[in-house]
Amino acid sequence: MGWLAHLSDAAFRGIPSEFETVAVLFDRFLHATVTPLVEGYYTFTIADVTKEVGQEPHKDDDLSVGFFFLDFCTLNVMLTVPTQERYGFAKNCIPLLAFAEALYGPEGARAIEGQVMQMRQEGNDVLYEARATDGR
């Protein structure tokens, strides 16, 4: 569901909502709350939660993992700063397919894209295991 759907649902159907989204243009992760006001109007708040969600839990130094957050509406990911640095990405908000292709090449990106599309429709998991293009 895109922003417009959330806003129109609040204004014309009286349905409040909360959602998170990756704002690629601003390199931020946002939390939005939309509430109906009167017929045809709504109120909304937007909070920048990039810092809060960008913290990785403590891990062993020899463990090579990465954390990211996927916005299913836009299919953009927000990488935590350690993940961004670990894998050499210039920005921390990028399209999922660019992220997958940089790590696993075009074939891996297509496999991940297929699983994500299936997940959006059926709600199952995305599981892709392979050696990254840099040998990890």
Side-chain angles (χ1 to χ4, degrees):
M1 179 187 272
W3 278 77
L4 189 55
H6 287 283
L7 301 177
S8 65
D9 279 354
F12 300 110
R13 297 175 64 206
I15 301 171
S17 63
E18 280 187 75
F19 59 96
E20 286 78 29
T21 187
V22 175
V24 174
L25 182 64
F26 303 111
D27 219 22
R28 310 313 282 153
F29 194 72
L30 306 174
H31 176 85
T33 304
V34 184
T35 54
L37 188 58
V38 295
E39 178 68 28
Y41 293 89
Y42 59 86
T43 63
F44 70 95
T45 60
I46 300 173
D48 181 354
V49 294
T50 305
K51 184 182 252 184
E52 290 83 355
V53 299
Q55 303 296 316
E56 288 190 6
H58 177 70
K59 62 187 179 322
D60 295 328
D61 290 338
D62 62 344
L63 183 63
S64 182
V65 297
F67 290 94
F68 63 90
F69 301 89
L70 174 62
D71 178 350
F72 272 101
C73 187
T74 63
L75 292 183
N76 290 313
V77 294
M78 188 198 88
L79 309 173
T80 60
V81 173
T83 299
Q84 179 187 352
E85 292 170 353
R86 187 175 301 119
Y87 296 104
F89 289 98
K91 297 184 66 147
N92 71 340
C93 293
I94 57 175
L96 172 64
L97 294 181
F99 173 68
E101 189 166 331
L103 290 180
Y104 303 114
E107 187 176 316
R110 281 191 298 276
I112 291 169
E113 178 183 32
Q115 288 189 40
V116 168
M117 294 306 157
Q118 187 177 7
M119 182 179 190
R120 287 172 108 180
Q121 295 171 356
E122 300 172 14
N124 50 342
D125 297 337
V126 174
L127 177 61
Y128 184 77
E129 189 173 340
R131 185 171 300 276
T133 55
D134 68 357
R136 288 183 250 210

